[in-house]
Amino acid sequence: MTFPERPEPAIDAAERPMLEGWLDYHRQTLLVKCAGLTDAQLREASVPPSAFTLLGLVQHLAEVERYWFREILAGEELPDLYSTEEDPDADFQVSETATWAETEAVWRAETAAARRSAAAFGLDDFSKGVGSAGKPFNLRWIYTHMIEEYARHNGHADLVRERVDGATGV
């Protein structure tokens, strides 16, 4: 199977393009991990009894994009996409009818909105919203956190993908 190419981040970029390049690289990596799988395969649990799936991971990362770039950085008041107050981890849970097309569209919309939100801030600018500790974050911190979030979860996605169809090195 051939997988989509990911653009390598520049090795000589200034700080902001470097951070944005690495975040985009990891965003694209997530899509590569899901490429070529059916909806059923994307809903397949990693190692039962765990309910962790690639589709659930994409839902989670859409929600994380929304939270950090729109709610925290831009200060928008938005409802959660998948989670609820009663079940804060509901973003990882997928229904039997969840499709890649719908989930990818939501994820793409949130990453596009994240880019628009970030464009209005400098790296040293603090967020309009605050986190659970009641303090704002600068954009540099948010970029660094998001790179870490994607890198960690892309490692999980490696294992799930291998479990689903045996593909490695994706």
Side-chain angles (χ1 to χ4, degrees), residues 158-169:
D158 280 335
L159 297 172
V160 177
R161 179 64 191 248
E162 184 174 3
R163 160 70 178 73
V164 168
D165 74 346
T168 60

Side-chain angles (χ1 to χ4, degrees), residues 34-170:
C34 297
L37 296 176
T38 66
D39 287 346
Q41 288 173 310
L42 289 164
R43 286 191 302 267
E44 193 173 319
S46 56
V47 181
S50 171
F52 190 87
T53 67
L54 288 169
L55 203 58
L57 181 57
V58 176
Q59 289 180 170
H60 169 71
L61 287 165
E63 192 132 78
V64 170
E65 293 269 2
R66 181 183 191 102
Y67 176 77
W68 282 107
F69 287 105
R70 297 179 67 193
E71 294 179 41
I72 297 297
L73 184 64
E76 295 180 48
E77 291 188 30
L78 300 167
D80 289 330
L81 292 168
Y82 304 100
S83 299
T84 65
E85 197 170 300
E86 299 78 33
D87 189 358
D89 292 327
D91 51 342
F92 283 107
Q93 299 166 18
V94 295
S95 71
E96 288 296 316
T97 60
T99 67
W100 173 248
E102 293 165 351
T103 305
E104 180 190 21
V106 170
W107 179 86
R108 285 189 184 279
E110 289 304 326
T111 57
R115 287 184 184 95
R116 287 190 301 274
S117 292
F121 289 80
L123 290 177
D124 293 321
D125 293 342
F126 281 95
S127 61
K128 293 180 180 178
V130 296
S132 59
K135 296 183 180 183
F137 297 85
N138 70 23
L139 179 58
R140 179 182 290 103
W141 190 96
I142 292 171
Y143 274 144
T144 303
H145 172 70
M146 291 299 294
I147 292 165
E148 175 274 330
E149 180 88 10
Y150 271 93
R152 179 168 34 93
H153 284 313
N154 283 335
H156 299 141
D158 280 335
L159 297 172
V160 177
R161 179 64 191 248
E162 184 174 3
R163 160 70 178 73
V164 168
D165 74 346
T168 60
V170 180

